[in-house]
Amino acid sequence: MKEHKVFHNIGSGCTVMERKVPLYPSLISLGNNVHLASKVYLVPHDAIHLCLNSLAGAGREGGNTFKERIGCIEIGDNVFIGSNTTVLYDVKIGSNVIVGAGSLVNRDIPDNSVAVGSPAKVIGTFNDFMEKRRNVQSYPDELKPVGHFITKKLEDWCWEDFHKRHGF
């Protein structure tokens, strides 16, 4: 995407899991170290004008009464946006931000924030999240994934751990 200049800007170290190009991609800017999980939708426009202009009498005199709303989406540096999140037009997501899965971002999110929900609301700080996450051991180091693949040993360990934590 960077090579083909799909977006207005894509910084270094970015990953975009799904590569569906949205309408008006030149209105989207990604900073450095931005990671968009699966099914993150960046929507720099709406289509409500289509419905409104179809109403009886709207736009009859040779023009469209209602105009399409478009706007930029700017995402700062060091941002993770979780799966199934939608970011609407005219939104700025600051730097050092985590947006939880399934969120609807319809207003700005300030720097150094963790935001979740629909609509997304700030629930904590980036630094607090980092400290909590730093001390989490999710699997033994010797079983760590290689690239995007896990071994049968790690798979078995995960299921055993899951069953322990869920009272099986």
Side-chain angles (χ1 to χ4, degrees), residues 1-16 19 21 25 28-36 42 75-77:
M1 293 179 87
K2 188 173 188 174
E3 182 179 305
H4 295 288
K5 299 183 181 181
V6 173
F7 294 140
H8 176 73
N9 181 64
I10 300 179
S12 62
C14 295
T15 56
V16 179
R19 288 167 180 85
V21 177
I28 298 168
S29 179
L30 307 180
N32 297 314
N33 194 31
V34 172
H35 303 279
L36 307 181
L42 305 175
I75 300 173
D77 297 333

Side-chain angles (χ1 to χ4, degrees), residues 92-100 103-129:
K92 179 181 179 183
I93 297 175
S95 293
N96 302 320
V97 169
I98 296 169
V99 178
S103 295
L104 170 66
V105 183
N106 63 351
R107 64 175 80 89
D108 293 354
I109 298 176
D111 292 347
N112 302 308
S113 298
V114 175
V116 298
S118 181
K121 292 183 167 81
V122 174
I123 62 161
T125 70
F126 186 84
N127 289 338
D128 286 347
F129 182 86

Side-chain angles (χ1 to χ4, degrees), residues 40-54:
V40 169
Y41 298 105
L42 305 175
V43 186
H45 66 93
D46 72 15
I48 296 167
H49 67 289
L50 298 173
C51 176
L52 298 176
N53 284 327
S54 294

